[in-house]
Amino acid sequence: MPANPSGPTPPTSTRQPVVPRQPGLPLGRATRGPLHMVGNAHIDAVWLWPWQEGYQEARATFRSAVQRIEEYPDFVFTCDSIGYLAWVEEHDPELFADLRRLVRAGRFEIVGGWWVEPDCNIPGGEGFVRHALYSQRFLADRFGVMATIGCNVDPFGQNATIPQLLTKSGMDGYAFMRPQPHEAALPGPTFWWHAADGSRVLAYRIPHEYCSPEGYLGTHVTKALAQLPHTTEPLMCFYGVGNHGGGPTRANIESIIDLDRSDQYPRLVFSTVRAFFDAAAAGDDLPEYVGEIQPHGVGCYSAHSGIKQLIRQTEHALQAAEKWAAVADAVAGLPRVTDELEHAWRQVLLNHFHDTAAGTALPSAYEDARDQLGEARAIAARLHNRAVQSISHRIGIPEEDRMTPLAVFNPHPWPVRATVEVEFGAALGLGAIVAVDAAGQHRPVQVARSSTLTGTRRRLVVPVQLPPLGYEVYRMYPDPAAAAVEPAGDADTVLENDHLRVVVDPETGWLSSLHDKTRDVELVDDRAARRGHAVVLDDPTDTWGHGVVSYRDVIGAFTPVSVRRTEHGPVRQAVRVRSTYGASTLTEEFVLAADAPYLEVRVTVDWHERLRMLKLRFPTALADVTATHSIPYGHIERVPNGHEVVSHSWVDVSGTTADRPAGLSVLNDAKYGGDVVDGEIGITVLRSPAYAWHAPRPLPADDDYEVMDQGVQRFTYRLLPHSGDWRAAGTVRAAAELDQQPMALLESYHDGALPRRQSFAAVRDADNVLVTVVKRAEDDVDAFVVRGYETAGLPATATIELPLLGRTVTAAFGPHEIKTLLVPRHPAMPVVETDLLERPVAPVSSGSAGNADHPAPGSPA
């Protein structure tokens, strides 16, 4: 398709035939509209082409739009992806200057307010925040305006947090297209869309298509009107050649002028998205809608699992790096790194693009995505390491004979109990080892198999109890007095601690018992478990999973070929199950730490099947269940009917068993698709459709095409039993601890002003408030940003201690609310609440901010 398709006005003979008006039927113009015609060019940055082609197409499309604006005095062009404007700025300053001039003249409208049109299910909550933060600031700096309407016409479903994300970033409307009317019923094309916190935006589902043919628009407009109600309220229709860009053609524009002369159509006006929403908002009694808008393309929740895992890992790596960079700024005087972090986040935002994150692009696109996300992860790792090392260097660690110090850093502003693994040389000898914490308490250290088979290097497993967003130094010594650990036999498949008793069934490779000892509740339905845990389903659907609402056609299951005990010690126990199906293998290592309330399972899949799906099923003994799923910066309850749905880091079923309240949360670090049937959770591990295969096009009969998710992949999930309420079980925090784990750093002896244990930030009095962000403010001000959200649907007042600044803040959170605080370093300056763009909204209530009881630790003079 040419970059700038245009042509002369079609002759009269090409106009759509006029349909005779039926007797008694009023003229179209009298009963409908007006119809706001929005000229746009949907540009897929990546899809059936690489990003380099999308880069060029953005420039060609915007140049074409400038030409059409100069030719037609009433024509207006709408752009909805800020990243494309940044691309133009990089390499075509003359065109960028034209765009700035036309924005000021009101002829080039900018909507969206996000870097690209992302998949609206896969990015994390903070990922959506960064779309607005960096995009709106870019617009304000380059154009002197910000977007006031959100716009995502092509993504494959809309998560329920979007209205809050929009309203807190300066947008009061939202235009989208999917799911379409045959997929999801809505109260009308125009409606007030509410988030769970009470935020609302005026939303509009555009009819038919977001792009159009390059010629006459009679059929396009007719099909759009067929999906719209007969009303005299304002309506909106998008037009312009799209996907590969192009935009409105001369033929498009001339046909709108021509169609507007016909009484068969409503009044057609060249318009903007903002003008439509302003007109629509004036209407009376617009309907209301609360919750998510799903589904479209449920296969997208799992297609190309590798890119989804990379996105999840990179988002959390950047958030952890930001926290430690902020601490190092306050404690060690490290310079601001906001520019480097913004560059890394932009790489993530680009790969949130719906065809990339959803797994629907061509194979080579994922090679580029791995490089771009790899760059972002490398930046995060470098900044993280530099910050942590600069803090650790300031800890006073006196020299001791045969002692090796280990500094362990917790990225969360609440205490964390965990086990950390670190590879060690021979400095501590080859015998038993003990770790001594800052309080002098001795902890056993377990030796596991090293990642290398050469030399005397060993992997040590150390139990730790860490302060909130802080560190502790453990002194490691040889322990000749340690009692020998009696080895367990390979046939011993029972794992037990004070919280759980787990029995692995060698026949099924799954659990025959998951007993919550603290509440005396059995969670596993053994009869259901024998139907299969790692099941293989037939999946002949295309990459998107078009026309599918659930996956149920089980054709087999992985069969265990070996079950053996791999670890038996004072720190943790482990049983490894290796199973096979066809040419594929599955290894699940069940790991139970000595004081963990959850069972961790480390999974390695080597997959070699085509047009099939792998699901891990978790049948429970629960009845009358409520199914709750995590979504970006929130959660949502869904009917447990077996439909394929999208979830983030956890899914929970809560109900009763043996007349007792109980529940099970399944946490994971890489997966998004799944289902719940009654009390059984299913996690979709992978799918293997052909790349970028869109039905109804048939697949080649010779099987000579590439399919997804072949080869080895690894991820981890955890099973967290509880007494019937996931809120009290700490499910949200437990999932965050899996996504961002402690960092262990081998240290040396040196002087320093910092103690061996220190916290830099902590949330008190409100376990249902999850602080996800601690960072430097974007503006060049001496202030820090703290962001969190309420996780349980209950109001909370949180005390946020910030020893890194010597301050304490008290903040009230409404149910489901995302809240951002700007905290100046100087204690005399007030703490203010901001929106997601870090613009002040209101001061924190009187007396809620002030000097803390402790000074900032190790603050530079």
Side-chain angles (χ1 to χ4, degrees):
M1 188 175 295
N4 180 23
S6 60
T9 305
T12 304
S13 60
T14 65
R15 180 174 168 176
Q16 300 299 303
V18 175
V19 179
R21 181 167 59 91
Q22 297 177 12
L25 183 66
L27 297 177
R29 185 179 299 277
T31 61
R32 307 191 75 176
L35 186 61
H36 291 248
M37 299 298 295
V38 174
N40 81 115
H42 178 71
I43 302 173
D44 283 333
V46 178
W47 182 29
L48 308 180
W49 44 84
W51 71 269
Q52 295 90 339
E53 196 169 327
Y55 188 99
Q56 185 278 334
E57 187 54 44
R59 172 171 53 84
T61 296
F62 292 158
R63 174 57 63 195
S64 171
V66 171
Q67 292 169 354
R68 299 294 83 76
I69 289 171
E70 291 172 347
E71 293 169 355
Y72 296 92
D74 295 327
F75 171 71
V76 184
F77 182 83
T78 294
C79 163
D80 73 350
S81 295
I82 313 310
Y84 303 156
L85 298 172
W87 280 352
V88 171
E89 183 187 36
E90 283 180 348
H91 75 285
D92 195 337
E94 291 183 2
L95 176 57
F96 194 72
D98 284 339
L99 299 182
R100 294 179 66 184
R101 171 178 57 82
L102 293 172
V103 167
R104 289 193 298 270
R107 303 291 304 282
F108 189 98
E109 181 191 31
I110 301 174
V111 297
W114 290 355
W115 202 246
V116 293
E117 286 193 18
D119 183 280
C120 289
N121 287 309
I122 300 304
E126 190 59 24
F128 286 106
V129 171
R130 299 311 170 98
H131 273 281
L133 176 67
Y134 298 129
S135 298
Q136 295 282 51
R137 292 173 62 87
F138 177 91
L139 291 177
D141 182 67
R142 277 33 167 224
F143 295 92
V145 300
M146 289 188 185
T148 59
I149 300 291
C151 187
N152 285 296
V153 298
D154 200 17
F156 314 131
Q158 320 294 327
N159 77 74
T161 314
I162 286 176
Q164 184 178 183
L165 294 166
L166 293 173
T167 58
K168 293 197 172 184
S169 53
M171 291 179 272
D172 58 15
Y174 189 62
F176 69 101
M177 189 182 77
R178 296 192 177 97
Q180 292 176 287
H182 69 282
E183 297 167 312
L186 291 171
T190 311
F191 57 94
W192 290 107
W193 184 19
H194 293 252
D197 74 312
S199 301
R200 74 172 191 175
V201 293
L202 188 59
Y204 182 81
R205 176 162 63 183
I206 67 172
H208 179 46
E209 272 288 357
Y210 51 77
C211 57
S212 68
E214 60 185 277
Y216 200 75
L217 295 182
T219 299
H220 175 74
V221 172
T222 299
K223 289 184 176 180
L225 289 171
Q227 290 188 1
L228 294 171
H230 285 261
T231 175
T232 56
E233 297 297 320
L235 301 170
M236 180 167 60
C237 176
F238 278 39
Y239 72 97
V241 178
N243 287 339
H244 198 268
T249 66
R250 294 185 183 95
N252 289 165
I253 296 169
E254 295 283 357
S255 66
I256 291 173
I257 297 171
D258 188 41
L259 291 168
D260 183 51
R261 300 189 185 106
S262 169
D263 282 343
Q264 288 297 121
Y265 294 92
R267 176 73 191 279
L268 273 60
V269 294
F270 293 107
S271 190
T272 64
V273 180
R274 179 72 263 174
F276 164 76
F277 275 94
D278 287 343
D284 296 329
D285 299 324
L286 289 173
E288 313 273 334
Y289 183 88
V290 181
E292 62 185 353
I293 304 176
Q294 307 280 13
H296 173 89
V298 299
C300 295
Y301 308 152
S302 305
H304 205 299
S305 60
I307 194 64
K308 292 172 170 60
Q309 184 176 45
L310 274 175
I311 288 171
R312 173 93 67 90
Q313 290 175 343
T314 309
E315 288 176 340
H316 286 285
L318 285 168
Q319 288 174 250
E322 283 181 330
K323 294 174 193 173
W324 291 117
V327 172
D329 181 318
V331 172
L334 256 65
R336 289 163 48 92
V337 292
T338 50
D339 289 345
E340 291 175 271
L341 287 165
E342 179 173 352
H343 174 76
W345 271 110
R346 284 189 181 189
Q347 294 288 60
V348 177
L349 303 183
L350 175 62
N351 285 285
H352 283 162
F353 184 73
H354 50 273
D355 283 310
T356 306
T360 56
L362 74 170
S364 64
Y366 293 103
E367 297 174 10
D368 291 333
R370 281 189 288 268
D371 291 345
Q372 291 157 350
L373 292 170
E375 181 193 16
R377 291 178 69 194
I379 291 171
R382 174 170 53 80
L383 297 180
H384 190 172
N385 178 70
R386 187 171 71 187
V388 164
Q389 297 262 10
S390 70
I391 298 165
S392 188
H393 175 64
R394 286 166 170 76
I395 303 171
I397 306 177
E399 183 175 356
E400 293 185 56
D401 183 45
R402 302 198 70 189
M403 186 274 285
T404 298
L406 180 71
V408 187
F409 292 79
N410 169 25
H412 302 291
W414 60 85
V416 167
R417 299 168 67 100
T419 58
V420 296
E421 299 181 20
V422 60
E423 294 277 342
F424 236 68
L428 294 172
L430 299 179
I433 298 169
V434 65
V436 181
D437 65 19
Q441 182 177 351
H442 288 227
R443 300 174 182 276
V445 175
Q446 190 164 317
V447 178
R449 176 178 289 180
S450 170
S451 58
T452 175
L453 301 179
T454 302
T456 57
R457 195 165 176 85
R458 296 190 294 173
R459 174 170 293 181
L460 304 184
V461 184
V462 186
V464 296
Q465 295 185 30
L466 304 174
L469 191 57
Y471 66 83
E472 180 152 1
V473 175
Y474 290 82
R475 292 169 291 163
M476 315 280 285
Y477 301 93
D479 188 15
V485 176
E486 293 294 330
D490 281 354
D492 184 359
T493 61
V494 177
L495 308 173
E496 188 167 8
N497 64 13
D498 290 341
H499 302 281
L500 302 175
R501 186 176 188 273
V502 179
V503 181
V504 180
D505 184 349
E507 293 185 13
T508 65
W510 180 234
L511 307 184
S512 59
S513 176
L514 175 61
H515 192 80
D516 184 348
K517 294 169 61 176
T518 59
R519 303 167 185 86
D520 191 24
V521 170
E522 175 59 55
L523 271 299
V524 168
D525 180 348
D526 185 42
R527 291 174 299 175
R530 290 183 176 278
R531 294 199 298 267
H533 161 59
V535 296
V536 179
L537 297 88
D538 188 34
D539 181 12
T541 61
D542 68 8
T543 313
W544 286 257
H546 282 124
V548 173
V549 296
S550 61
Y551 294 96
R552 302 182 183 181
D553 191 5
V554 176
I555 58 174
F558 276 78
T559 302
V561 294
S562 69
V563 179
R564 66 184 184 90
R565 171 80 65 152
T566 56
E567 292 190 50
H568 177 72
V571 178
R572 71 184 186 194
Q573 310 159 52
V575 170
R576 181 177 298 158
V577 177
R578 184 174 180 273
S579 305
T580 62
Y581 174 87
S584 303
T585 60
L586 169 70
T587 301
E588 291 185 281
E589 187 157 35
F590 300 87
V591 181
L592 184 64
D595 59 358
Y598 56 78
L599 176 68
E600 178 169 298
V601 186
R602 301 174 180 180
V603 182
T604 302
V605 183
D606 188 5
W607 181 255
H608 297 281
E609 314 301 322
R610 300 169 68 87
L611 303 183
R612 290 178 178 173
M613 168 186 284
L614 171 60
K615 274 184 178 282
L616 297 182
R617 305 215 65 87
F618 306 96
T620 71
L622 298 169
D624 301 320
V625 302
T626 298
T628 309
H629 304 251
S630 60
I631 62 174
Y633 274 163
H635 67 271
I636 193 168
E637 292 183 4
R638 299 187 177 116
V639 178
N641 57 8
H643 288 188
E644 190 78 358
V645 295
V646 60
S647 306
H648 271 240
S649 53
W650 60 272
V651 179
D652 179 84
V653 288
S654 295
T656 59
T657 178
D659 296 324
R660 298 183 186 180
L664 178 68
S665 297
V666 180
L667 326 173
N668 80 87
D669 66 354
K671 302 302 173 185
Y672 293 86
D675 65 271
V676 179
V677 182
D678 298 325
E680 179 174 298
I681 296 172
I683 300 297
T684 305
V685 176
L686 52 80
R687 298 179 61 224
S688 51
Y691 277 90
W693 168 38
H694 196 305
R697 178 167 181 159
L699 291 171
D702 57 10
D703 288 349
D704 189 17
Y705 52 87
E706 189 174 355
V707 300
M708 292 184 178
D709 277 349
Q710 302 297 286
V712 175
Q713 60 171 277
R714 297 178 175 86
F715 67 99
T716 299
Y717 65 86
R718 291 175 177 171
L719 305 180
L720 176 64
H722 56 81
S723 60
D725 183 44
W726 57 266
R727 298 167 178 85
T731 291
V732 179
R733 285 187 173 184
E737 291 169 18
L738 177 58
D739 277 325
Q740 290 183 42
Q741 300 191 27
M743 174 185 177
L745 175 67
L746 290 175
E747 255 298 351
S748 56
Y749 315 129
H750 44 68
D751 295 332
L754 293 176
R756 289 204 295 266
R757 178 182 172 91
Q758 178 66 54
S759 171
F760 298 106
V763 179
R764 312 288 187 191
D765 308 322
D767 290 345
N768 56 323
V769 170
L770 192 79
V771 167
T772 57
V773 172
V774 177
K775 72 180 190 71
R776 279 299 303 264
E778 293 297 318
D779 289 321
D780 191 15
V781 294
D782 199 8
F784 293 72
V785 166
V786 177
R787 181 162 33 254
Y789 74 103
E790 195 286 313
T791 65
L794 302 169
T797 298
T799 301
I800 303 173
E801 297 176 355
L802 297 169
L804 79 162
L805 300 176
R807 306 195 69 165
T808 297
V809 180
T810 301
F813 286 74
H816 308 281
E817 182 184 10
I818 306 166
K819 188 178 287 290
T820 305
L821 303 174
L822 184 71
V823 186
R825 190 194 304 262
H826 196 285
M829 297 185 66
V831 176
V832 297
E833 182 180 350
T834 75
D835 62 11
L836 298 178
L837 310 182
E838 301 181 15
R839 301 179 301 179
V841 173
V844 175
S845 58
S846 177
S848 64
N851 291 329
D853 295 332
H854 33 252
S859 297

